[in-house]
Amino acid sequence: MADAGAKRAADGVETELSQKGKRAKADNDHDQGEERKDSESENILCGFKTSNVLSDSAREKIIFIHGKLADQEAVVILEKTPIREDTLTELFSGSRLKLEMKNDIYSTYRLQAPPHLNEIKTTVVCPATEKHVKRHQRQESFLVEETEGDYRSITLPYIQEQSFSVQWVYNILEKKAEADRIVYEDPDPEVGFVLLPDLKWDQKQVDDLYLIAITHQRDIRSLRDLTSGHLPLLQNILQKGEEAILQRYKLPASKLRVYLHYQPSYFHLHVHFTKLGYEAPGCGVERAHLLADVIQNLQSDPQYYKTRTLYFPLRADDGLLSKFKEAGRL
Ligand code: DD3
């Protein structure tokens, strides 16, 4: 089996991470009761009051919940994780099995797995702003056509007035958070970056590998800001990022989808590395731009992303969509 080696590689990583022991306590202002990774850490969710379900997917086994956590607005994301091959022996031997139905050669059961093999990946955003709540609400979306002029007169003013916080990005770059999760770092201020697992990846299996490279340069908002002057940075991220992923996860470049989002969900340049075959959210053609293509486009035209019309989807309740409508661009 081709993936077995890679799976073991990820398991090796997990062991390596857990052996590093408890995560260093982050000393940033924004750590809301930074939890310990051990089992005795208390359950901050026991007082969570659900207001409404923002969205859910039976197929993806995920639910986004809006509610209150100690008087503060919160978004909680619960997700069942894939069943790992290396847990099967223990799953079969260590579970209780309750017969539900038997018919001829067919039978169905409810298998009650040992608690440590039955965990639910949980993400908490608290205090959550209106934007966080909207972001996870199921919404119809619309494709927008953004010319060079539209970017200058509609999009740029909008993102400037919004002032989305990227404090969590600075916490990563300054090692105030997630320092023990860094897979690779090039500390160079011009071409350097930090490569680490995205929040969405629990790192339990490489099948859904998802890492992000965050640039040390802080003034590149998005694809639109890139010129040929950024080629050394982009080439460095592609090359060193792929090398680091080969080393750590035994996945060659030919198994990776390396891309930028436009529009990004946060305006600090970052590159997504996901495993080919894993349909990561946002990897569709309407939002993803392969880094290798971005590099080539900038090589043939230094102003490519400043001048081209770009297309991207916006959700019905996105403030930027209203701006495009007001400008008669939709
Ligand atoms: C975010 C986009 C942002 C809700 C959610 C995610 N990777 C992150 C904080 C730390 C991170 C990420 C915003 C926020 Cl679920 C609102 O993503 C993050 N750390 N994508 C990592 N490693």
Side-chain angles (χ1 to χ4, degrees):
M1 182 170 283
D3 269 1
K7 277 204 172 98
R8 273 194 300 277
D11 296 337
V13 168
E14 203 207 346
T15 320
E16 182 190 309
L17 281 179
S18 29
Q19 277 167 353
K20 270 194 207 158
K22 312 306 168 226
R23 179 158 51 150
K25 175 98 172 68
D27 61 341
N28 61 81
D29 309 337
H30 290 254
D31 77 27
Q32 292 292 321
E34 178 81 26
E35 86 286 20
R36 290 187 306 259
K37 263 186 182 164
D38 15 73
S39 49
E40 69 248 9
S41 69
E42 85 217 69
N43 173 12
I44 60 150
L45 288 177
C46 67
F48 183 77
K49 298 268 184 298
T50 299
S51 317
N52 59 302
V53 170
L54 297 168
S55 68
D56 62 359
S57 162
R59 195 178 58 83
E60 293 163 76
K61 299 178 180 64
I62 191 164
I63 184 165
F64 298 81
I65 311 146
H66 173 209
K68 282 210 160 167
L69 202 52
D71 278 351
Q72 290 186 307
E73 296 293 324
V75 173
V76 173
I77 308 166
L78 303 178
E79 184 180 8
K80 294 228 191 172
T81 52
I83 298 166
R84 287 154 56 196
E85 198 179 325
D86 60 298
T87 65
L88 292 179
T89 309
E90 198 186 350
L91 200 60
F92 289 135
S93 63
S95 299
R96 277 173 52 126
L97 199 63
K98 300 203 166 168
L99 179 69
E100 212 156 50
M101 175 280 279
K102 187 162 169 55
N103 177 352
D104 189 47
I105 62 169
Y106 309 97
S107 49
T108 62
Y109 300 84
R110 281 172 294 132
L111 183 148
Q112 298 180 336
H116 69 281
L117 294 182
N118 198 21
E119 294 180 337
I120 295 174
K121 180 181 188 316
T122 303
T123 307
V124 176
V125 184
C126 184
T129 65
E130 185 65 34
K131 265 180 259 166
H132 288 113
V133 175
K134 276 187 173 175
R135 189 190 138 102
H136 294 105
Q137 194 133 35
R138 195 188 316 285
Q139 284 282 316
E140 207 183 334
S141 54
F142 299 87
L143 196 76
V144 170
E145 183 185 52
E146 181 198 66
T147 63
E148 176 184 11
D150 293 333
Y151 177 69
R152 207 175 327 106
S153 65
I154 306 171
T155 311
L156 187 56
Y158 179 77
I159 61 182
Q160 281 168 339
E161 86 188 25
Q162 286 294 309
S163 67
F164 301 98
S165 169
V166 284
Q167 185 58 48
W168 67 269
V169 170
Y170 299 153
N171 288 346
I172 290 172
L173 294 175
E174 294 165 13
K175 318 290 152 55
K176 291 179 177 170
E178 306 189 50
D180 60 340
R181 288 160 44 90
I182 294 176
V183 169
Y184 176 82
E185 175 174 18
D186 178 340
D188 188 278
E190 287 298 312
V191 302
F193 63 97
V194 168
L195 178 74
L196 82 171
D198 187 273
L199 192 84
K200 288 185 278 296
W201 186 37
D202 69 3
Q203 306 176 70
K204 293 292 199 306
Q205 57 282 313
V206 288
D207 309 62
D208 56 348
L209 174 137
Y210 199 143
L211 293 111
I212 45 174
I214 300 175
T215 61
H216 275 298
Q217 278 199 62
R218 296 188 177 197
D219 53 0
I220 315 171
R221 281 171 297 231
S222 76
L223 197 58
R224 277 285 188 206
D225 285 338
L226 295 175
T227 67
S228 53
H230 298 106
L231 281 168
L233 166 68
L234 300 173
Q235 284 160 330
N236 191 48
I237 292 176
L238 185 57
Q239 190 202 324
K240 303 252 184 75
E242 286 179 341
E243 275 172 22
I245 291 174
L246 177 61
Q247 271 234 326
R248 174 72 72 102
Y249 305 103
K250 312 295 172 227
L251 276 187
S254 60
K255 286 288 174 192
L256 297 178
R257 188 193 287 119
V258 186
Y259 56 99
L260 288 82
H261 278 154
Y262 193 75
Q263 296 280 328
S265 44
Y266 44 101
F267 291 89
H268 176 113
L269 194 76
H270 59 282
V271 174
H272 304 257
F273 290 75
T274 61
K275 185 168 179 273
L276 207 65
Y278 165 55
E279 282 189 36
C283 78
V285 293
E286 73 277 36
R287 189 156 178 226
H289 297 254
L290 284 181
L291 180 55
D293 285 334
V294 172
I295 289 172
Q296 286 201 68
N297 291 335
L298 290 173
Q299 282 168 337
S300 36
D301 176 1
Q303 301 295 313
Y304 188 95
Y305 290 100
K306 295 221 183 270
T307 57
R308 295 290 295 211
T309 294
L310 296 176
Y311 300 81
F312 52 84
L314 286 177
R315 297 140 56 86
D317 65 359
D318 196 309
L320 185 55
L321 187 74
S322 320
K323 299 284 181 196
F324 271 84
K325 281 181 179 160
E326 284 165 27
R329 296 291 291 118
L330 205 92

